[in-house]
Structures are given as structure tokens and as C-alpha cells.
Amino acid sequence: MLAVLQRVSSASVTVAAENYRREIGAGLAILLGVEKGDTEAEADWLAEKCAGLRIFKDAEEKMNLSVKDVNGAALVVSQFTLAGDCRKGRRPGFDRAAPPDLAQPLYERFCETLEKRYGVPVQRGIFQARMQVALVNDGPVTFVLERRSGTS
């Protein structure tokens, strides 16, 4: 499972076809990619890491606070292209991406764990929809987090 985690001052997702828009203020924009072989263990680990990662500034301007510490929120968008392989040719291969019937429940598990277990308010995109994501990256601060299935 992969996540691109960005510290944001604001972020939103819009699905025009569904007349759907969700937005957050300060917090995290998280693009989440589910790979073949991923399980609930990877979703839970990644949710804990996102909730606890100390990437927000404290009173001394040091990255020492988590999204929970600053009462921030998360905007989580499914992003199967994170599992794309661009090593060969000019067209990405998506063999590592989990099929939707596996990916969607793990995406939902990640969001629910982040919100219910760790207390981070979550706004979501619509799984498999064509979405427009907008954000203001604060810093900029961006991290790529990865948890391969079967690792501890």
C-alpha cells in the first residue's frame, strides 16, 4: 500500500458528474494506492503512520506535531496510478495495482481507521470516479509512505 501524504492549508475533491465536493482546511491530503496482496494490516499500519507522523510545526517552528495534535483533518483520495510501473517503455503498467473489489474495501478500511481509531476527521473522494483534486501544499511538505504486504 502506498500513500502520498501532503501537509496542506486546504484541499478539496470534486466529482462534477456526481455534483459532489468535499474539502478540508489545514491537515493532510492523502493519495492512497492499494496493491495486489495488500491486507487490512497494511491499511491499519498506514492509517496509524499518517495519524501520528509529526510533520506540523510547533511553537518553535519545528516539525514536531501530528495532524491529531493540530486538530487537522484528512482528505483521502484513492489513486491506483501510484502502483504504476514506468520503468519500461512510455506507457505505465498497472499489474501491481489491486483490482477494485480488493482495493475499495481496503481504501474504506484506511479511512475508517484514520477517523474512528485515531480521531482524524476524514473527507473522501469517490472510489473509481473521475475527480479533480485541488490543494495548497503547506511548506511544501510531501512524503511518500509505503507498506508492502507481509512486512512488519
PDB file of all heavy atoms in Angstrom, residues 1 32 34-35 37-43 98 102-111:
ATOM      1  N   MET A   1       0.855  -1.160   0.000  1.00  0.00           N
ATOM      2  CA  MET A   1       0.000   0.000   0.000  1.00  0.00           C
ATOM      3  C   MET A   1       0.900   1.222   0.000  1.00  0.00           C
ATOM      4  O   MET A   1       1.915   1.255   0.678  1.00  0.00           O
ATOM      5  CB  MET A   1      -0.916  -0.037   1.224  1.00  0.00           C
ATOM      6  CG  MET A   1      -2.029   0.986   1.188  1.00  0.00           C
ATOM      7  SD  MET A   1      -3.288   0.724   2.479  1.00  0.00           S
ATOM      8  CE  MET A   1      -4.166  -0.671   1.819  1.00  0.00           C
ATOM      9  N   LEU A  32      -3.999   7.583  -1.921  1.00  0.00           N
ATOM     10  CA  LEU A  32      -3.801   6.221  -1.437  1.00  0.00           C
ATOM     11  C   LEU A  32      -3.884   5.217  -2.577  1.00  0.00           C
ATOM     12  O   LEU A  32      -4.877   5.176  -3.300  1.00  0.00           O
ATOM     13  CB  LEU A  32      -4.864   5.896  -0.382  1.00  0.00           C
ATOM     14  CG  LEU A  32      -4.716   4.569   0.339  1.00  0.00           C
ATOM     15  CD1 LEU A  32      -3.534   4.636   1.311  1.00  0.00           C
ATOM     16  CD2 LEU A  32      -5.995   4.231   1.093  1.00  0.00           C
ATOM     17  N   VAL A  34      -3.642   1.119  -3.506  1.00  0.00           N
ATOM     18  CA  VAL A  34      -3.694  -0.244  -2.971  1.00  0.00           C
ATOM     19  C   VAL A  34      -3.105  -1.190  -4.019  1.00  0.00           C
ATOM     20  O   VAL A  34      -3.464  -1.129  -5.195  1.00  0.00           O
ATOM     21  CB  VAL A  34      -5.138  -0.652  -2.622  1.00  0.00           C
ATOM     22  CG1 VAL A  34      -5.181  -2.063  -2.068  1.00  0.00           C
ATOM     23  CG2 VAL A  34      -5.760   0.344  -1.647  1.00  0.00           C
ATOM     24  N   GLU A  35      -2.201  -2.067  -3.550  1.00  0.00           N
ATOM     25  CA  GLU A  35      -1.539  -3.005  -4.443  1.00  0.00           C
ATOM     26  C   GLU A  35      -2.030  -4.430  -4.192  1.00  0.00           C
ATOM     27  O   GLU A  35      -2.552  -4.738  -3.118  1.00  0.00           O
ATOM     28  CB  GLU A  35      -0.026  -2.951  -4.233  1.00  0.00           C
ATOM     29  CG  GLU A  35       0.573  -1.610  -4.611  1.00  0.00           C
ATOM     30  CD  GLU A  35       2.065  -1.574  -4.403  1.00  0.00           C
ATOM     31  OE1 GLU A  35       2.519  -1.817  -3.267  1.00  0.00           O
ATOM     32  OE2 GLU A  35       2.774  -1.312  -5.386  1.00  0.00           O
ATOM     33  N   GLY A  37      -2.125  -8.047  -3.023  1.00  0.00           N
ATOM     34  CA  GLY A  37      -1.524  -8.644  -1.840  1.00  0.00           C
ATOM     35  C   GLY A  37      -1.713  -7.827  -0.576  1.00  0.00           C
ATOM     36  O   GLY A  37      -1.442  -8.312   0.521  1.00  0.00           O
ATOM     37  N   ASP A  38      -2.140  -6.561  -0.698  1.00  0.00           N
ATOM     38  CA  ASP A  38      -2.365  -5.746   0.496  1.00  0.00           C
ATOM     39  C   ASP A  38      -3.527  -6.309   1.307  1.00  0.00           C
ATOM     40  O   ASP A  38      -4.460  -6.905   0.760  1.00  0.00           O
ATOM     41  CB  ASP A  38      -2.661  -4.287   0.120  1.00  0.00           C
ATOM     42  CG  ASP A  38      -1.426  -3.524  -0.321  1.00  0.00           C
ATOM     43  OD1 ASP A  38      -0.300  -3.978  -0.016  1.00  0.00           O
ATOM     44  OD2 ASP A  38      -1.584  -2.468  -0.961  1.00  0.00           O
ATOM     45  N   THR A  39      -3.441  -6.112   2.625  1.00  0.00           N
ATOM     46  CA  THR A  39      -4.466  -6.606   3.543  1.00  0.00           C
ATOM     47  C   THR A  39      -4.859  -5.486   4.506  1.00  0.00           C
ATOM     48  O   THR A  39      -4.318  -4.380   4.447  1.00  0.00           O
ATOM     49  CB  THR A  39      -3.934  -7.796   4.368  1.00  0.00           C
ATOM     50  OG1 THR A  39      -2.884  -7.322   5.235  1.00  0.00           O
ATOM     51  CG2 THR A  39      -3.399  -8.908   3.473  1.00  0.00           C
ATOM     52  N   GLU A  40      -5.748  -5.817   5.423  1.00  0.00           N
ATOM     53  CA  GLU A  40      -6.135  -4.848   6.455  1.00  0.00           C
ATOM     54  C   GLU A  40      -4.941  -4.428   7.299  1.00  0.00           C
ATOM     55  O   GLU A  40      -4.902  -3.310   7.797  1.00  0.00           O
ATOM     56  CB  GLU A  40      -7.234  -5.441   7.334  1.00  0.00           C
ATOM     57  CG  GLU A  40      -8.556  -5.591   6.605  1.00  0.00           C
ATOM     58  CD  GLU A  40      -9.643  -6.199   7.474  1.00  0.00           C
ATOM     59  OE1 GLU A  40      -9.343  -6.722   8.573  1.00  0.00           O
ATOM     60  OE2 GLU A  40     -10.809  -6.133   7.038  1.00  0.00           O
ATOM     61  N   ALA A  41      -3.960  -5.294   7.452  1.00  0.00           N
ATOM     62  CA  ALA A  41      -2.767  -4.946   8.237  1.00  0.00           C
ATOM     63  C   ALA A  41      -2.034  -3.756   7.626  1.00  0.00           C
ATOM     64  O   ALA A  41      -1.574  -2.866   8.351  1.00  0.00           O
ATOM     65  CB  ALA A  41      -1.826  -6.152   8.345  1.00  0.00           C
ATOM     66  N   GLU A  42      -1.924  -3.719   6.304  1.00  0.00           N
ATOM     67  CA  GLU A  42      -1.263  -2.583   5.654  1.00  0.00           C
ATOM     68  C   GLU A  42      -2.099  -1.315   5.806  1.00  0.00           C
ATOM     69  O   GLU A  42      -1.569  -0.235   6.074  1.00  0.00           O
ATOM     70  CB  GLU A  42      -1.009  -2.869   4.167  1.00  0.00           C
ATOM     71  CG  GLU A  42       0.137  -3.801   3.906  1.00  0.00           C
ATOM     72  CD  GLU A  42      -0.178  -5.256   4.215  1.00  0.00           C
ATOM     73  OE1 GLU A  42      -1.294  -5.716   3.880  1.00  0.00           O
ATOM     74  OE2 GLU A  42       0.684  -5.937   4.813  1.00  0.00           O
ATOM     75  N   ALA A  43      -3.413  -1.439   5.659  1.00  0.00           N
ATOM     76  CA  ALA A  43      -4.290  -0.271   5.810  1.00  0.00           C
ATOM     77  C   ALA A  43      -4.209   0.290   7.225  1.00  0.00           C
ATOM     78  O   ALA A  43      -4.120   1.513   7.418  1.00  0.00           O
ATOM     79  CB  ALA A  43      -5.734  -0.648   5.462  1.00  0.00           C
ATOM     80  N   ALA A  98      -4.112  -3.266  -7.173  1.00  0.00           N
ATOM     81  CA  ALA A  98      -5.149  -4.216  -6.759  1.00  0.00           C
ATOM     82  C   ALA A  98      -6.411  -3.989  -7.578  1.00  0.00           C
ATOM     83  O   ALA A  98      -6.742  -2.855  -7.923  1.00  0.00           O
ATOM     84  CB  ALA A  98      -5.453  -4.040  -5.276  1.00  0.00           C
ATOM     85  N   LEU A 102     -10.842  -5.621  -4.379  1.00  0.00           N
ATOM     86  CA  LEU A 102      -9.928  -5.686  -3.240  1.00  0.00           C
ATOM     87  C   LEU A 102      -9.572  -4.284  -2.746  1.00  0.00           C
ATOM     88  O   LEU A 102      -9.520  -4.028  -1.546  1.00  0.00           O
ATOM     89  CB  LEU A 102      -8.637  -6.427  -3.620  1.00  0.00           C
ATOM     90  CG  LEU A 102      -7.511  -6.363  -2.575  1.00  0.00           C
ATOM     91  CD1 LEU A 102      -7.892  -7.125  -1.311  1.00  0.00           C
ATOM     92  CD2 LEU A 102      -6.213  -6.902  -3.140  1.00  0.00           C
ATOM     93  N   ALA A 103      -9.343  -3.379  -3.687  1.00  0.00           N
ATOM     94  CA  ALA A 103      -8.873  -2.039  -3.330  1.00  0.00           C
ATOM     95  C   ALA A 103      -9.920  -1.219  -2.574  1.00  0.00           C
ATOM     96  O   ALA A 103      -9.579  -0.542  -1.599  1.00  0.00           O
ATOM     97  CB  ALA A 103      -8.437  -1.296  -4.586  1.00  0.00           C
ATOM     98  N   GLN A 104     -11.160  -1.265  -2.998  1.00  0.00           N
ATOM     99  CA  GLN A 104     -12.168  -0.413  -2.357  1.00  0.00           C
ATOM    100  C   GLN A 104     -12.354  -0.722  -0.871  1.00  0.00           C
ATOM    101  O   GLN A 104     -12.363   0.194  -0.054  1.00  0.00           O
ATOM    102  CB  GLN A 104     -13.498  -0.466  -3.095  1.00  0.00           C
ATOM    103  CG  GLN A 104     -14.493   0.526  -2.510  1.00  0.00           C
ATOM    104  CD  GLN A 104     -15.722   0.717  -3.351  1.00  0.00           C
ATOM    105  OE1 GLN A 104     -15.949   0.019  -4.340  1.00  0.00           O
ATOM    106  NE2 GLN A 104     -16.537   1.684  -2.972  1.00  0.00           N
ATOM    107  N   PRO A 105     -12.515  -1.992  -0.467  1.00  0.00           N
ATOM    108  CA  PRO A 105     -12.657  -2.250   0.972  1.00  0.00           C
ATOM    109  C   PRO A 105     -11.427  -1.812   1.784  1.00  0.00           C
ATOM    110  O   PRO A 105     -11.569  -1.352   2.918  1.00  0.00           O
ATOM    111  CB  PRO A 105     -12.850  -3.764   1.057  1.00  0.00           C
ATOM    112  CG  PRO A 105     -13.278  -4.202  -0.285  1.00  0.00           C
ATOM    113  CD  PRO A 105     -12.710  -3.222  -1.253  1.00  0.00           C
ATOM    114  N   LEU A 106     -10.229  -1.927   1.203  1.00  0.00           N
ATOM    115  CA  LEU A 106      -9.034  -1.506   1.932  1.00  0.00           C
ATOM    116  C   LEU A 106      -8.938   0.022   1.996  1.00  0.00           C
ATOM    117  O   LEU A 106      -8.480   0.574   2.995  1.00  0.00           O
ATOM    118  CB  LEU A 106      -7.784  -2.120   1.312  1.00  0.00           C
ATOM    119  CG  LEU A 106      -7.682  -3.632   1.510  1.00  0.00           C
ATOM    120  CD1 LEU A 106      -6.473  -4.190   0.778  1.00  0.00           C
ATOM    121  CD2 LEU A 106      -7.641  -4.004   2.986  1.00  0.00           C
ATOM    122  N   TYR A 107      -9.358   0.703   0.945  1.00  0.00           N
ATOM    123  CA  TYR A 107      -9.459   2.166   0.967  1.00  0.00           C
ATOM    124  C   TYR A 107     -10.431   2.593   2.076  1.00  0.00           C
ATOM    125  O   TYR A 107     -10.122   3.469   2.884  1.00  0.00           O
ATOM    126  CB  TYR A 107      -9.915   2.672  -0.407  1.00  0.00           C
ATOM    127  CG  TYR A 107     -10.360   4.109  -0.430  1.00  0.00           C
ATOM    128  CD1 TYR A 107      -9.435   5.147  -0.426  1.00  0.00           C
ATOM    129  CD2 TYR A 107     -11.718   4.436  -0.472  1.00  0.00           C
ATOM    130  CE1 TYR A 107      -9.852   6.470  -0.455  1.00  0.00           C
ATOM    131  CE2 TYR A 107     -12.137   5.747  -0.509  1.00  0.00           C
ATOM    132  CZ  TYR A 107     -11.207   6.764  -0.500  1.00  0.00           C
ATOM    133  OH  TYR A 107     -11.624   8.071  -0.520  1.00  0.00           O
ATOM    134  N   GLU A 108     -11.596   1.956   2.114  1.00  0.00           N
ATOM    135  CA  GLU A 108     -12.588   2.277   3.149  1.00  0.00           C
ATOM    136  C   GLU A 108     -12.032   1.966   4.538  1.00  0.00           C
ATOM    137  O   GLU A 108     -12.227   2.741   5.476  1.00  0.00           O
ATOM    138  CB  GLU A 108     -13.882   1.491   2.910  1.00  0.00           C
ATOM    139  CG  GLU A 108     -14.584   1.821   1.606  1.00  0.00           C
ATOM    140  CD  GLU A 108     -15.114   3.238   1.509  1.00  0.00           C
ATOM    141  OE1 GLU A 108     -15.331   3.880   2.554  1.00  0.00           O
ATOM    142  OE2 GLU A 108     -15.296   3.720   0.377  1.00  0.00           O
ATOM    143  N   ARG A 109     -11.350   0.849   4.677  1.00  0.00           N
ATOM    144  CA  ARG A 109     -10.756   0.476   5.967  1.00  0.00           C
ATOM    145  C   ARG A 109      -9.756   1.531   6.425  1.00  0.00           C
ATOM    146  O   ARG A 109      -9.745   1.934   7.598  1.00  0.00           O
ATOM    147  CB  ARG A 109     -10.078  -0.889   5.835  1.00  0.00           C
ATOM    148  CG  ARG A 109      -9.213  -1.323   7.003  1.00  0.00           C
ATOM    149  CD  ARG A 109     -10.044  -1.763   8.199  1.00  0.00           C
ATOM    150  NE  ARG A 109      -9.207  -2.240   9.285  1.00  0.00           N
ATOM    151  CZ  ARG A 109      -9.365  -3.391   9.905  1.00  0.00           C
ATOM    152  NH1 ARG A 109     -10.346  -4.203   9.556  1.00  0.00           N
ATOM    153  NH2 ARG A 109      -8.577  -3.731  10.887  1.00  0.00           N
ATOM    154  N   PHE A 110      -8.890   1.982   5.521  1.00  0.00           N
ATOM    155  CA  PHE A 110      -7.920   3.019   5.843  1.00  0.00           C
ATOM    156  C   PHE A 110      -8.633   4.275   6.358  1.00  0.00           C
ATOM    157  O   PHE A 110      -8.287   4.816   7.408  1.00  0.00           O
ATOM    158  CB  PHE A 110      -7.069   3.354   4.613  1.00  0.00           C
ATOM    159  CG  PHE A 110      -6.177   4.537   4.811  1.00  0.00           C
ATOM    160  CD1 PHE A 110      -4.920   4.395   5.390  1.00  0.00           C
ATOM    161  CD2 PHE A 110      -6.582   5.804   4.417  1.00  0.00           C
ATOM    162  CE1 PHE A 110      -4.096   5.494   5.582  1.00  0.00           C
ATOM    163  CE2 PHE A 110      -5.762   6.906   4.604  1.00  0.00           C
ATOM    164  CZ  PHE A 110      -4.518   6.751   5.191  1.00  0.00           C
ATOM    165  N   CYS A 111      -9.641   4.734   5.626  1.00  0.00           N
ATOM    166  CA  CYS A 111     -10.371   5.953   6.007  1.00  0.00           C
ATOM    167  C   CYS A 111     -11.055   5.790   7.369  1.00  0.00           C
ATOM    168  O   CYS A 111     -10.982   6.680   8.221  1.00  0.00           O
ATOM    169  CB  CYS A 111     -11.411   6.310   4.946  1.00  0.00           C
ATOM    170  SG  CYS A 111     -10.707   6.843   3.369  1.00  0.00           S
TER     171      CYS A 111
END
